[in-house]
Amino acid sequence: MSLFSYTSVSIEPTRIGVIVLQSDETIERDLMAMRGDADVFVSRVPSGQEVTAETLQSMAAHIAASASLFPQAIGFDAVGYGCTSGTAQIGVSEIERLVKSGTQTKTVSQPVSALVAACQYLGLKRIAFLSPYIESVSANLRQVLQDNGVETPAFGTFSEAEESKVVRISGASVMEAAIELVRGAQVDGIFLSCTNLRTLDLITQLEAALNMPVLSSNLVLAWHLAQLSGNPEALSGPGRLFAPLA
């Protein structure tokens, strides 16, 4: 046997963690597409195949344990919980408490706070809201937005409860629904809800077609995590949200 000595190097990149739903097939793909110069870590949380208030709430019992599966020898600049409807159900402050109880992180985000921050950043006051889920699942989030000065006068849904079907909603269907939802509505932007809905590749096309900002759960979460990390180059995505303000 040969015994070797070694030298150590300092590794201090921007570190971002994301807790992903067990049923989500999309967010990791989107995060890799938006990865800038950050090191990105992913953990999974048990989640139901059907989206109901009960299955969303049930994730609260597992978030701390999922956060604890991140490497314990390092600290994070920002950690995100990747569920829009789950955050609205469980609550923003509770999500932060659970994540911080499981891992060392300076900041915590999720698509709800990220969406509010993105709307404030872009000056959006009235947005169309397109969801794959039934209206009652999105009601909490729409109320949070209203409480933060963002109205959602136009709401549309594919009324699908099964995650395995949500991820397979075609881009053409999303484009068609988004354009129809905005038509005639007095809005200054549109939000495509759900981290599992495949929308990232549609952002640029939809912004050109609608001539307004187009936001999605994964887009706003990535942007907000980068902002919170203190390194805007940590993650980078398409559309007006990531473009420098004029």
Side-chain angles (χ1 to χ4, degrees), residues 4 27 36 40 48 61 82 117 121 134 139-140 162 174-176 179 187 208 212 218 220 225 233 236 240:
F4 299 99
I27 190 170
V40 178
Y121 177 75
I134 59 176
N140 288 343
E162 294 184 39
V174 174
M175 289 278 291
E176 182 180 352
I179 291 170
V187 295
M212 64 176 59
N218 292 344
V220 297
L225 288 170
E233 305 300 318
S236 180
R240 299 187 191 185

Side-chain angles (χ1 to χ4, degrees), residues 92-104:
V92 168
S93 60
E94 181 66 359
I95 294 292
E96 180 170 3
R97 185 190 72 79
L98 291 168
V99 170
K100 285 187 172 180
S101 72
T103 194
Q104 302 176 63

Side-chain angles (χ1 to χ4, degrees), residues 115-116 118-120 123-130 138-156 181-182 185-192 212-213 215:
L115 176 58
V116 170
C119 287
Q120 292 172 344
L124 306 182
K125 300 294 185 183
R126 293 170 60 84
I127 61 173
F129 189 118
L130 180 61
S138 301
N140 288 343
L141 175 53
R142 296 179 71 194
Q143 184 61 54
V144 171
L145 292 174
Q146 183 173 322
D147 293 343
N148 284 273
V150 182
E151 302 292 332
T152 56
F155 176 79
L181 187 61
V182 167
Q186 299 297 310
V187 295
D188 46 19
I190 182 171
F191 175 59
L192 311 175
M212 64 176 59
L215 305 176

Side-chain angles (χ1 to χ4, degrees), residues 21-42:
L21 271 60
Q22 180 181 9
S23 58
D24 197 315
E25 301 178 40
T26 300
I27 190 170
E28 286 161 313
R29 166 185 177 268
D30 287 355
L31 284 171
M32 292 304 103
M34 291 187 283
R35 181 176 176 268
D37 59 18
D39 282 2
V40 178
F41 298 77
V42 173

Side-chain angles (χ1 to χ4, degrees), residues 10-28:
S10 175
I11 304 175
E12 294 300 331
T14 300
R15 295 189 181 101
I16 290 176
V18 180
I19 298 172
V20 176
L21 271 60
Q22 180 181 9
S23 58
D24 197 315
E25 301 178 40
T26 300
I27 190 170
E28 286 161 313

Side-chain angles (χ1 to χ4, degrees), residues 200-218:
L200 189 67
D201 297 339
L202 309 177
I203 301 294
T204 302
Q205 301 173 63
L206 272 175
E207 287 194 338
L210 300 175
N211 192 29
M212 64 176 59
V214 176
L215 305 176
S216 72
S217 292
N218 292 344

Side-chain angles (χ1 to χ4, degrees), residues 70-103:
F70 287 125
Q72 294 296 296
I74 63 175
F76 289 86
D77 296 286
V79 171
Y81 167 63
C83 185
T84 317
S85 301
T87 300
Q89 177 67 36
I90 297 167
V92 168
S93 60
E94 181 66 359
I95 294 292
E96 180 170 3
R97 185 190 72 79
L98 291 168
V99 170
K100 285 187 172 180
S101 72
T103 194

